[in-house]
Amino acid sequence: MQFPILSTLIFLPIILSVFVMFARRANQTKITAGLISFVNMILSFVLLANFNKNLVVEQFVEQSMWIEKFNIQYFLAIDGVSLVLILLTTVLSFLAIVFSGEVKKPRVYFTAFLFLEGLAIGLFSAFDAVLFYVFFEAMLIPMFLIIGVWGGENRIYATFKFFLYTLFGSLLFLVALLYMYVQFNTFDMLTWANLGTSLSFEEQKWLFIALFIAFAIKVPMIGVHTWLPDAHVQAPTSGSVILAGVLLKIGTYAMLRFIIPMLPEATEFFAIYVMGLSVVAIVYASLLAYKQKDIKKMIAYSSIAHMGFITLGLFALTELAVQGAVLQMINHGIVSAGLFFAIGVVYSRLHTRNIDYIGNLADKMPKYAVVFMILTLASVGLPGTANFIGEITILIGSYSSAPILTVLAILGVLMGACYMLKLYKGMFYKQLDSKKLDSVTDLT
């Protein structure tokens, strides 16, 4: 019997968080949480080292009956997509804990992050639909607390908006799952993928609509996106890092895991409409980003635009575009997390995110200027950076499916350069007389 490494990755941070709750001092709390998350991160690299990339079947399978009456299984496994998302989750969770500043109620704060880490790994490795749904829903609770307790002035409004949007999507998801169960008498996602073609086109169409709305809210796609800027602005820095780096990927991962393999006819029918929505998201969110004064809100809208590229690639339904979309999920997680960390640095020093009150940082913080420039160039997709590889792969792959939409999506790349370089110029080269700027310190 093989070592249950996936169960360990899921439950180690959740169970060991009890030591965080019993830590007496704030620094002990952070150190304990950091050590637990570090061990989990090392374990995820052990998973990577033992993953056989030459196999095209699910690996590290853990399967046993959970609720026999309804044929619900405890079914964990990973493939290449799951693997990289689990790695992203463990690395960003560790960094989010390490770079958290002083917070009120630190024991609850760090426990929430450990729970969120374990639940996210559970979602990325679940192959039973009920198990997937449990993790999908449970992740709301720690994120709700992180924004609602440790967020900014309007945190309650942002929290309830986030909760209501995602709850609506979750109800649609649940209805679709129950319908699929009635049809196939199992919640096994691999079985659903094999039997999806047996559903009529009409059935697939309605299931597609329900699942797409549920997952589009998580992405978020345009029209159901308004919760994200508020959540990002109000969330603490580490909360924004996990939100952008991990939670946004749940929507696109679920589309890749549920919609595309299980509803092939409906996917083919609706693909062009989803690609159209993706291009609208890319262009519209880029315009909104350009007009923002709050740096965090600007990066939040840029996330919507970048996620638009991912959904464009997924629904182009070509091998190259889908590979680019998966790669871009990882790239966006790294770059957006880096940008939110960088914004947290300047906010901790100047206590403002308003671009009008930030300037001349190139002279005051030259090391920080270099780091922020690297992140800026990665965000706009400069050749040689990760985002370039992801975006160019998506665009080349999607051109054969929808050439006009692909050309329009290129506008988003140009607009991304406009708002990110505008942000950089404003923060680092705009001359500004401010007493706060006189005492600002550079990165150590």
Side-chain angles (χ1 to χ4, degrees):
M1 182 180 176
Q2 68 177 18
F3 178 69
I5 189 168
L6 294 177
S7 291
T8 306
L9 280 163
I10 294 166
F11 294 108
L12 184 141
I14 294 173
I15 294 171
L16 293 189
S17 65
V18 69
F19 291 103
V20 175
M21 291 300 290
F22 285 104
R24 293 185 176 182
R25 298 177 184 175
N27 63 336
Q28 290 178 343
T29 307
K30 183 175 178 178
I31 291 168
T32 305
L35 284 173
I36 294 167
S37 190
F38 179 74
V39 170
N40 226 35
M41 182 177 70
I42 296 301
L43 201 58
S44 71
F45 282 101
V46 172
L47 189 72
L48 171 65
N50 288 278
F51 184 82
N52 188 342
K53 67 179 184 296
N54 297 315
L55 293 178
V56 291
V57 295
E58 289 68 33
Q59 300 179 43
F60 303 100
V61 176
E62 298 175 34
Q63 192 170 12
S64 60
M65 190 56 66
W66 182 17
I67 304 173
E68 191 169 352
K69 184 178 179 181
F70 298 105
N71 202 14
I72 299 172
Q73 301 178 81
Y74 179 77
F75 185 5
L76 301 176
I78 61 164
D79 55 16
V81 179
S82 307
L83 174 67
V84 289
L85 288 169
I86 288 171
L87 286 167
L88 182 69
T89 301
T90 58
V91 171
L92 290 184
S93 296
F94 173 67
L95 293 175
I97 290 170
V98 169
F99 289 101
S100 293
E102 290 186 11
V103 291
K104 61 182 180 181
K105 302 178 183 175
R107 289 182 292 183
V108 182
Y109 178 82
F110 290 114
T111 298
F113 274 101
L114 291 172
F115 265 76
L116 195 55
E117 178 181 355
L119 294 171
I121 294 168
L123 182 137
F124 292 134
S125 55
F127 273 82
D128 181 275
V130 170
L131 191 62
F132 187 100
Y133 186 79
V134 167
F135 288 123
F136 187 85
E137 287 301 290
M139 289 178 71
L140 283 176
I141 300 168
M143 200 66 219
F144 184 91
L145 290 173
I146 289 166
I147 300 173
V149 177
W150 294 277
E153 291 181 5
N154 294 321
R155 60 186 182 275
I156 302 301
Y157 168 77
T159 305
F160 276 96
K161 194 173 183 180
F162 163 69
F163 183 79
L164 291 172
Y165 264 87
T166 48
L167 180 64
F168 174 69
S170 299
L171 292 173
L172 291 174
F173 187 17
L174 181 60
V175 170
L177 294 188
L178 292 175
Y179 185 86
M180 296 280 274
Y181 172 73
V182 170
Q183 297 303 306
F184 303 129
N185 195 35
T186 181
F187 285 105
D188 187 322
M189 289 159 57
L190 297 178
T191 303
W192 285 8
N194 292 329
L195 298 178
T197 51
S198 65
L199 295 169
S200 70
F201 175 67
E202 196 67 20
E203 288 174 309
Q204 287 192 38
K205 188 168 71 173
W206 287 108
L207 285 168
F208 181 98
I209 291 169
L211 290 173
F212 180 75
I213 293 172
F215 303 149
I217 289 170
K218 289 279 190 182
V219 171
M221 295 194 73
I222 214 71
V224 287
H225 69 284
T226 58
W227 65 267
L228 183 67
D230 290 320
H232 267 311
V233 168
Q234 298 306 318
T237 296
S238 292
S240 288
V241 167
I242 297 299
L243 183 59
V246 179
L247 265 67
L248 298 192
K249 309 304 172 291
I250 292 171
T252 48
Y253 175 76
M255 288 176 182
L256 189 61
R257 192 63 79 201
F258 281 88
I259 293 177
I260 295 173
M262 296 178 190
L263 308 170
E265 292 176 37
T267 299
E268 198 170 332
F269 176 79
F270 284 110
I272 193 68
Y273 301 106
V274 179
M275 291 178 75
L277 272 175
S278 302
V279 171
V280 171
I282 291 167
V283 175
Y284 181 61
S286 296
L287 288 170
L288 290 175
Y290 189 83
K291 297 296 290 182
Q292 298 308 311
K293 296 289 186 182
D294 188 304
I295 306 171
K296 234 184 180 187
K297 192 169 275 193
M298 180 183 286
I299 304 305
Y301 279 116
S302 96
S303 285
I304 296 171
H306 286 296
M307 294 303 291
F309 277 103
I310 296 170
T311 51
L312 176 71
L314 288 178
F315 285 89
L317 303 179
T318 65
E319 185 178 354
L320 189 63
V322 173
Q323 288 177 343
V326 173
L327 181 59
Q328 194 62 3
M329 285 163 67
I330 307 305
N331 298 340
H332 176 263
I334 295 167
V335 175
S336 64
L339 283 166
F340 280 115
F341 274 131
I343 292 166
V345 168
V346 76
Y347 183 75
S348 68
R349 285 158 170 75
L350 300 177
H351 304 292
T352 182
R353 292 187 300 266
N354 191 321
I355 190 68
D356 290 339
Y357 301 109
I358 303 171
N360 200 29
L361 293 183
D363 289 338
K364 305 291 183 180
M365 304 173 71
K367 294 177 186 175
Y368 178 70
V370 171
V371 171
F372 206 99
M373 174 53 80
I374 293 168
L375 290 166
T376 299
L377 295 177
S379 180
V380 303
L382 183 80
T385 62
N387 272 16
F388 171 76
I389 305 299
E391 288 177 2
I392 197 71
T393 308
I394 290 169
L395 293 171
I396 293 171
S398 63
Y399 186 80
S400 58
S401 297
I404 295 174
L405 290 176
T406 304
V407 171
L408 290 173
I410 294 172
L411 290 173
V413 179
L414 300 174
M415 293 164 73
C418 290
Y419 64 74
M420 287 304 296
L421 292 174
K422 174 195 173 190
L423 170 65
Y424 193 86
K425 181 183 177 183
M427 287 179 64
F428 293 93
Y429 294 108
K430 178 181 65 189
Q431 295 302 310
L432 188 69
D433 291 326
S434 171
K435 291 182 180 178
K436 283 185 179 180
L437 292 173
D438 293 337
S439 58
V440 73
T441 56
D442 200 1
L443 294 178
T444 58

